[in-house]
Amino acid sequence: MLVDGEWRTDAFETTDEGGAFQRQETTFRDRVRDDPDARFQPEAGRYHLYVSYACPWAHRTLVARKLLGLEDAISVDVVDPFRGEGGWQFTPEKEGCTADSLYDSEYLRELYVEADPDATCRATVPVLWDKQEATIVNNESKEILRMLSTEFTDVAERDIDLYPEGYQEAVDEIIESIYEPINNGVYRAGFADTQEAYDEAVTELFDALDHWDDVLEDQRYLAGDRLTEADICMFTTLVRFDEVYHTHFMCNHRLIQEYDNLWPYLRDLYQTPGVAQTVNMDHIKEHYYTTHPDVSPKRIVPMGPAPDFAADHDRDELPGEPPEDLLPVA
């Protein structure tokens, strides 16, 4: 992490005294608002995303950008899936990765210092960057997702509402309810330093997965019959689960493929036009199995289990369907 603008490899404790994983709060929390008085206004070509295909938090923003048709309005750079002691790195020679197209930085941390020379924080993805003011707007995935969903309507190529009227309270509640036991729960299990912390995390994780499996028996999406932000937040965890979290993070009570409803739900989301193009499983697996030597010291990337996300799902028999303006993306 950065401490007063200097890179340190010994400054952040990942677990508390009880051995439970603790996630540091993000630090850049400004907002893009569709308001003439706002400092950051939604304009095509003004903003840039720094992401990793491997990171589930960054993946949220890639899915929303794709679904909404913001590819031309918001540019993207992709870091290397391996994160070493120097943090996220730009390696354009590697497949699926890019250079830093704005500053030709070698490491993502350089962008944080560019935005704040005295930054004290972890250099995480995603980063929403303002080219006009040469600074970070926000590095909190949930808030970037909400901005993309609600503030970029005039520059989006598709008329899709991921935070629709009548569903907003439910969407907020769902995103909040799945974060700790599921989205963060897999990390709490994988990075736990004590049996007690691990047992607690895994129990809460599978209790929550069981709950949502029951909910999805009679409805197509988490909030009912509409695809929303909540589904994006669930998708980026579920799509990694069988390939990574089940083995690497010891979340091995069940595979998602063993759930009656979560598994076809996951396939339904994956097959929503545009979503599959945001999934890079090679980057995902390389990142997790090579970046956490305390968890996987030999850094060997397993071959399986290779879930068939393209298999038929029959979820279209339930009420609801993807938005009409969601056309296939080449």
Side-chain angles (χ1 to χ4, degrees), residues 152-188:
F152 284 84
T153 305
D154 290 342
V155 298
E157 294 182 358
R158 297 192 185 91
D159 184 18
I160 293 173
D161 193 349
L162 296 173
Y163 190 58
E165 290 286 344
Y167 292 77
Q168 294 177 358
E169 183 177 354
V171 169
D172 289 341
E173 290 177 354
I174 293 167
I175 290 174
E176 179 69 22
S177 70
I178 67 175
Y179 170 76
E180 194 59 36
I182 298 177
N183 300 142
N184 197 42
V186 293
Y187 289 89
R188 291 168 55 215

Side-chain angles (χ1 to χ4, degrees), residues 19 25 27 46-47 51 54 100 136 193 198 268 296 299 321:
E25 292 291 323
T27 51
R46 176 172 175 175
Y47 299 99
V51 302
D100 171 16
I136 296 173
D193 278 346
Y198 167 79
D268 187 12
S296 184
R299 293 176 169 170
E321 59 184 14

Side-chain angles (χ1 to χ4, degrees), residues 76-80 89-94 96-101:
V76 166
D77 283 331
V78 181
V79 296
D80 193 293
Q89 186 175 13
F90 296 98
T91 56
E93 69 279 3
K94 190 168 184 176
C97 303
T98 71
D100 171 16
S101 60

Side-chain angles (χ1 to χ4, degrees), residues 189-210:
F191 293 142
D193 278 346
T194 66
Q195 188 70 50
E196 182 180 9
Y198 167 79
D199 290 347
E200 179 180 352
V202 169
T203 299
E204 292 179 6
L205 167 64
F206 283 98
D207 283 349
L209 290 175
D210 290 345

Side-chain angles (χ1 to χ4, degrees), residues 167 174 216 218-228 231 319-320:
Y167 292 77
I174 293 167
L216 289 166
D218 299 316
Q219 61 188 55
R220 189 166 184 179
Y221 301 110
L222 296 186
D225 62 351
R226 292 285 295 270
L227 176 70
T228 69
D231 299 294

Side-chain angles (χ1 to χ4, degrees), residues 55-73:
C55 172
W57 317 107
H59 193 181
R60 295 176 173 188
T61 67
L62 287 174
V63 174
R65 175 177 175 266
K66 196 74 167 180
L67 293 177
L68 296 166
L70 289 169
E71 298 100 313
D72 292 337

Side-chain angles (χ1 to χ4, degrees), residues 32-43 46 151 154:
V32 175
R33 291 190 296 115
D34 190 8
D35 182 329
D37 296 325
R39 176 187 177 190
F40 301 105
Q41 299 180 25
E43 303 170 24
R46 176 172 175 175
E151 305 298 334
D154 290 342

